[in-house]
Amino acid sequence: MAILEVKGLEKQFGSLEVLKGIDFSLEKGESMALIGASGSGKTTLLRCLNFLERPTGGQIIVNDNVILDVSSQKTLNENEIRKNRLHFGLVFQSFNLFPQYTTLQNVTLAKELLEKDTEDYKKNKKQVLDRIREEGKEILDKVGLSQKLDDYPHQLSGGQQQRVAIARALMLHPDILCFDEPTSALDPELTGEVLKVIRGLAESHTTMVIVTHEMKFAKDVSDQVLFMDQGVIVERGTPEQVFEHPTEERTKQFLQRYFEEK
Ligand code: ADP
Ligand code: MG
């Protein structure tokens, strides 16, 4: 069953059409790589999924529930948006950690805020906070940061900060974890440690949409690849199909340019 279906998604900024009817679906446990030149609309697509942008057309369906249907004209309230957003985790290019909080605090903060209104929290605050901290530690252990729980962001390398950002996203158990060029802001020697974490997530069947310029990595970890150009999905298929046997001229040119530059 598809965990995510995107149908006819459109986004216009004024008269600029940035997404021109995007369709795709993602199975539970599947990783999708989204590739394409700068300016093709990849970030805008992820921002629409995360309700950071409001699409101007189309539908977003998660687990068979239509969470956004632009044609219905229904305006979602803050609570609905917050709830919808929880289906998606987002790891940005820049890590965006809170500088005044430790590694563990950065990871547990959102969960603590979410639990604050529950009956359980009101009755058993200490137990709930302890449980959240334990879970935060477990997730940080998975991304290889159990030695850095009490460090502040400025004490961590870029690769470590990005792993904290991944742990923070995992902490909320999103249905779909999205990455927007997660290694583009890193020094080359630090990209490997972040890609390794994402690779591990793919191996444990985390459902992911990964925007990346790391083509070899995209080929290795993804189950399907979408190539996007000027707001349109030009080509899609298995990594083998898209990278080894592209059929569209635009895909061929994009890949050729990429591998020439490397
Ligand atoms: P990519 O991530 O593939 O590089 P983006 O989604 O960032 O592409 O951008 C796609 C296009 O949308 C670009 O032409 C960009 O200038 C435009 N764009 C993105 N955000 C906005 C915005 N808030 N207002 C106006 N134009 C935007
Ligand atoms: Mg982008």
Side-chain angles (χ1 to χ4, degrees):
M1 192 193 87
I3 197 163
L4 171 65
E5 288 174 90
V6 170
K7 293 188 181 170
L9 201 73
E10 296 172 4
K11 177 65 186 175
Q12 269 180 256
F13 290 109
S15 60
L16 183 68
E17 281 182 76
V18 172
L19 300 177
K20 301 172 188 167
I22 302 290
D23 293 288
F24 67 87
S25 73
L26 194 63
E27 299 289 311
K28 191 170 164 53
E30 201 181 14
S31 311
M32 187 182 95
L34 179 60
I35 61 170
S38 180
S40 55
K42 306 178 299 297
T43 295
T44 304
L45 174 56
L46 291 191
R47 288 177 57 83
C48 285
L49 293 180
N50 284 274
F51 287 79
L52 296 170
E53 287 306 344
R54 188 170 159 66
T56 42
Q59 292 183 326
I60 300 174
I61 302 161
V62 176
N63 282 322
D64 275 341
N65 295 316
V66 179
I67 61 169
L68 183 89
D69 182 357
V70 175
S71 69
S72 80
Q73 305 287 330
K74 181 172 175 271
T75 317
L76 299 174
N77 64 37
E78 277 295 311
N79 259 340
E80 289 168 317
I81 291 177
R82 210 172 296 137
K83 206 167 135 242
N84 286 340
R85 195 172 275 159
L86 285 174
H87 292 294
F88 299 90
L90 183 52
V91 176
F92 299 91
Q93 190 171 340
S94 52
F95 334 116
N96 296 337
L97 301 178
F98 287 112
Q100 73 275 33
Y101 292 134
T102 65
T103 294
L104 184 58
Q105 287 167 337
N106 266 286
V107 170
T108 56
L109 184 70
K111 183 84 169 188
E112 285 171 16
L113 291 175
L114 274 177
E115 298 258 338
K116 263 206 166 107
D117 294 328
T118 63
E119 282 307 307
D120 197 19
Y121 184 94
K122 285 171 195 156
K123 284 194 205 126
N124 312 302
K125 184 173 167 186
K126 186 173 178 315
Q127 284 90 329
V128 171
L129 289 178
D130 283 348
R131 197 184 67 222
I132 293 173
R133 281 174 59 86
E134 282 313 306
E135 190 181 0
K137 285 183 195 171
E138 275 171 35
I139 291 176
L140 281 162
D141 188 40
K142 274 197 210 153
V143 301
L145 290 175
S146 48
Q147 306 299 315
K148 304 284 178 189
L149 300 181
D150 300 322
D151 286 27
Y152 289 86
H154 75 269
Q155 298 171 295
L156 302 174
S157 72
Q160 289 168 337
Q161 289 186 58
Q162 189 60 308
R163 286 187 280 148
V164 177
I166 295 172
R168 175 179 59 185
L170 287 171
M171 187 75 193
L172 298 179
H173 302 285
D175 293 302
I176 301 118
L177 182 55
C178 305
F179 290 90
D180 193 1
E181 299 191 30
T183 58
S184 292
L186 296 175
D187 291 333
E189 70 272 20
L190 298 176
T191 62
E193 65 189 65
V194 172
L195 296 184
K196 189 172 155 209
V197 168
I198 304 173
R199 216 178 277 265
L201 293 172
E203 279 161 13
S204 59
H205 303 290
T206 307
T207 313
M208 296 188 281
V209 176
I210 307 166
V211 172
T212 183
H213 285 297
E214 300 279 342
M215 297 302 155
K216 188 180 172 312
F217 171 73
K219 192 173 166 216
D220 287 353
V221 300
S222 63
D223 301 295
Q224 60 165 320
V225 180
L226 261 54
F227 168 63
M228 190 166 166
D229 189 42
Q230 298 184 24
V232 175
I233 306 293
V234 173
E235 185 150 3
R236 68 182 79 210
T238 62
E240 171 84 13
Q241 284 164 345
V242 176
F243 288 113
E244 304 296 336
H245 310 287
T247 57
E248 298 293 323
E249 202 48 42
R250 278 192 270 177
T251 322
K252 289 179 195 170
Q253 282 172 8
F254 170 77
L255 291 173
Q256 197 175 358
R257 264 199 315 274
Y258 173 81
F259 286 107
E260 270 167 12
E261 280 165 19
K262 276 268 136 171

PDB file of all heavy atoms in Angstrom, residues 13 16 18 37-44 53, ligand 1:
ATOM      1  N   PHE A  13       4.508  30.871  -7.509  1.00  0.00           N
ATOM      2  CA  PHE A  13       4.859  32.068  -6.737  1.00  0.00           C
ATOM      3  C   PHE A  13       4.534  33.240  -7.660  1.00  0.00           C
ATOM      4  O   PHE A  13       5.246  33.460  -8.632  1.00  0.00           O
ATOM      5  CB  PHE A  13       6.342  32.082  -6.384  1.00  0.00           C
ATOM      6  CG  PHE A  13       6.745  31.046  -5.363  1.00  0.00           C
ATOM      7  CD1 PHE A  13       7.499  29.946  -5.744  1.00  0.00           C
ATOM      8  CD2 PHE A  13       6.378  31.172  -4.031  1.00  0.00           C
ATOM      9  CE1 PHE A  13       7.889  28.991  -4.802  1.00  0.00           C
ATOM     10  CE2 PHE A  13       6.765  30.218  -3.091  1.00  0.00           C
ATOM     11  CZ  PHE A  13       7.523  29.133  -3.478  1.00  0.00           C
ATOM     12  N   LEU A  16       5.109  32.881 -11.413  1.00  0.00           N
ATOM     13  CA  LEU A  16       6.134  31.852 -11.652  1.00  0.00           C
ATOM     14  C   LEU A  16       5.606  30.467 -11.263  1.00  0.00           C
ATOM     15  O   LEU A  16       5.306  30.208 -10.096  1.00  0.00           O
ATOM     16  CB  LEU A  16       7.387  32.187 -10.829  1.00  0.00           C
ATOM     17  CG  LEU A  16       8.587  31.269 -10.997  1.00  0.00           C
ATOM     18  CD1 LEU A  16       9.177  31.403 -12.397  1.00  0.00           C
ATOM     19  CD2 LEU A  16       9.653  31.591  -9.940  1.00  0.00           C
ATOM     20  N   VAL A  18       6.331  26.985 -10.363  1.00  0.00           N
ATOM     21  CA  VAL A  18       7.517  26.255  -9.917  1.00  0.00           C
ATOM     22  C   VAL A  18       7.268  24.746  -9.915  1.00  0.00           C
ATOM     23  O   VAL A  18       8.162  23.962 -10.241  1.00  0.00           O
ATOM     24  CB  VAL A  18       7.952  26.762  -8.527  1.00  0.00           C
ATOM     25  CG1 VAL A  18       9.050  25.907  -7.949  1.00  0.00           C
ATOM     26  CG2 VAL A  18       8.414  28.208  -8.639  1.00  0.00           C
ATOM     27  N   ALA A  37      18.513  19.633 -11.547  1.00  0.00           N
ATOM     28  CA  ALA A  37      19.370  20.812 -11.461  1.00  0.00           C
ATOM     29  C   ALA A  37      18.829  21.790 -10.429  1.00  0.00           C
ATOM     30  O   ALA A  37      17.656  21.735 -10.051  1.00  0.00           O
ATOM     31  CB  ALA A  37      19.446  21.488 -12.827  1.00  0.00           C
ATOM     32  N   SER A  38      19.704  22.671 -10.007  1.00  0.00           N
ATOM     33  CA  SER A  38      19.319  23.731  -9.087  1.00  0.00           C
ATOM     34  C   SER A  38      18.218  24.577  -9.733  1.00  0.00           C
ATOM     35  O   SER A  38      18.280  24.879 -10.918  1.00  0.00           O
ATOM     36  CB  SER A  38      20.581  24.560  -8.826  1.00  0.00           C
ATOM     37  OG  SER A  38      20.289  25.579  -7.960  1.00  0.00           O
ATOM     38  N   GLY A  39      17.183  24.886  -8.949  1.00  0.00           N
ATOM     39  CA  GLY A  39      16.091  25.710  -9.475  1.00  0.00           C
ATOM     40  C   GLY A  39      14.954  24.905 -10.097  1.00  0.00           C
ATOM     41  O   GLY A  39      13.965  25.470 -10.553  1.00  0.00           O
ATOM     42  N   SER A  40      15.070  23.572 -10.082  1.00  0.00           N
ATOM     43  CA  SER A  40      14.033  22.767 -10.746  1.00  0.00           C
ATOM     44  C   SER A  40      12.776  22.590  -9.886  1.00  0.00           C
ATOM     45  O   SER A  40      11.750  22.141 -10.378  1.00  0.00           O
ATOM     46  CB  SER A  40      14.595  21.415 -11.188  1.00  0.00           C
ATOM     47  OG  SER A  40      15.173  20.738 -10.108  1.00  0.00           O
ATOM     48  N   GLY A  41      12.867  22.930  -8.602  1.00  0.00           N
ATOM     49  CA  GLY A  41      11.670  22.884  -7.749  1.00  0.00           C
ATOM     50  C   GLY A  41      11.704  21.821  -6.657  1.00  0.00           C
ATOM     51  O   GLY A  41      10.694  21.582  -5.985  1.00  0.00           O
ATOM     52  N   LYS A  42      12.858  21.226  -6.432  1.00  0.00           N
ATOM     53  CA  LYS A  42      12.960  20.119  -5.461  1.00  0.00           C
ATOM     54  C   LYS A  42      12.640  20.575  -4.041  1.00  0.00           C
ATOM     55  O   LYS A  42      11.863  19.948  -3.320  1.00  0.00           O
ATOM     56  CB  LYS A  42      14.365  19.480  -5.522  1.00  0.00           C
ATOM     57  CG  LYS A  42      14.780  19.032  -6.915  1.00  0.00           C
ATOM     58  CD  LYS A  42      16.177  18.446  -6.961  1.00  0.00           C
ATOM     59  CE  LYS A  42      17.293  19.389  -6.537  1.00  0.00           C
ATOM     60  NZ  LYS A  42      17.477  20.583  -7.379  1.00  0.00           N
ATOM     61  N   THR A  43      13.277  21.679  -3.641  1.00  0.00           N
ATOM     62  CA  THR A  43      13.044  22.190  -2.280  1.00  0.00           C
ATOM     63  C   THR A  43      11.583  22.609  -2.114  1.00  0.00           C
ATOM     64  O   THR A  43      10.950  22.317  -1.082  1.00  0.00           O
ATOM     65  CB  THR A  43      13.983  23.379  -1.977  1.00  0.00           C
ATOM     66  OG1 THR A  43      15.331  22.894  -1.966  1.00  0.00           O
ATOM     67  CG2 THR A  43      13.675  24.021  -0.642  1.00  0.00           C
ATOM     68  N   THR A  44      11.045  23.250  -3.133  1.00  0.00           N
ATOM     69  CA  THR A  44       9.641  23.677  -3.052  1.00  0.00           C
ATOM     70  C   THR A  44       8.728  22.467  -2.866  1.00  0.00           C
ATOM     71  O   THR A  44       7.782  22.506  -2.068  1.00  0.00           O
ATOM     72  CB  THR A  44       9.255  24.460  -4.327  1.00  0.00           C
ATOM     73  OG1 THR A  44      10.158  25.558  -4.470  1.00  0.00           O
ATOM     74  CG2 THR A  44       7.827  24.975  -4.250  1.00  0.00           C
ATOM     75  N   GLU A  53       5.025  25.402   2.662  1.00  0.00           N
ATOM     76  CA  GLU A  53       4.466  26.189   1.555  1.00  0.00           C
ATOM     77  C   GLU A  53       3.075  25.662   1.291  1.00  0.00           C
ATOM     78  O   GLU A  53       2.836  24.454   1.453  1.00  0.00           O
ATOM     79  CB  GLU A  53       5.224  25.958   0.249  1.00  0.00           C
ATOM     80  CG  GLU A  53       6.561  26.520   0.033  1.00  0.00           C
ATOM     81  CD  GLU A  53       6.768  27.985   0.229  1.00  0.00           C
ATOM     82  OE1 GLU A  53       5.795  28.766   0.273  1.00  0.00           O
ATOM     83  OE2 GLU A  53       7.935  28.344   0.355  1.00  0.00           O
TER      84      GLU A  53
HETATM   85  P1  ADP B   1      15.688  23.507  -6.161  1.00  0.00           P
HETATM   86  O1  ADP B   1      15.534  23.100  -4.759  1.00  0.00           O
HETATM   87  O2  ADP B   1      15.431  22.400  -7.141  1.00  0.00           O
HETATM   88  O3  ADP B   1      17.004  24.183  -6.423  1.00  0.00           O
HETATM   89  P2  ADP B   1      13.669  25.488  -5.539  1.00  0.00           P
HETATM   90  O4  ADP B   1      12.451  24.749  -5.186  1.00  0.00           O
HETATM   91  O5  ADP B   1      14.483  26.046  -4.440  1.00  0.00           O
HETATM   92  O6  ADP B   1      14.566  24.591  -6.510  1.00  0.00           O
HETATM   93  O7  ADP B   1      13.293  26.694  -6.494  1.00  0.00           O
HETATM   94  C1  ADP B   1      12.558  26.519  -7.675  1.00  0.00           C
HETATM   95  C2  ADP B   1      12.193  27.878  -8.240  1.00  0.00           C
HETATM   96  O8  ADP B   1      11.267  28.509  -7.377  1.00  0.00           O
HETATM   97  C3  ADP B   1      13.351  28.836  -8.393  1.00  0.00           C
HETATM   98  O9  ADP B   1      13.184  29.546  -9.588  1.00  0.00           O
HETATM   99  C4  ADP B   1      13.200  29.743  -7.192  1.00  0.00           C
HETATM  100  O10 ADP B   1      13.719  31.014  -7.464  1.00  0.00           O
HETATM  101  C5  ADP B   1      11.685  29.805  -7.036  1.00  0.00           C
HETATM  102  N1  ADP B   1      11.273  30.063  -5.644  1.00  0.00           N
HETATM  103  C6  ADP B   1      11.488  29.269  -4.581  1.00  0.00           C
HETATM  104  N2  ADP B   1      10.955  29.801  -3.454  1.00  0.00           N
HETATM  105  C7  ADP B   1      10.380  30.966  -3.833  1.00  0.00           C
HETATM  106  C8  ADP B   1       9.660  31.998  -3.143  1.00  0.00           C
HETATM  107  N3  ADP B   1       9.410  31.912  -1.813  1.00  0.00           N
HETATM  108  N4  ADP B   1       9.228  33.052  -3.858  1.00  0.00           N
HETATM  109  C9  ADP B   1       9.448  33.135  -5.171  1.00  0.00           C
HETATM  110  N5  ADP B   1      10.117  32.219  -5.904  1.00  0.00           N
HETATM  111  C10 ADP B   1      10.580  31.141  -5.250  1.00  0.00           C
END
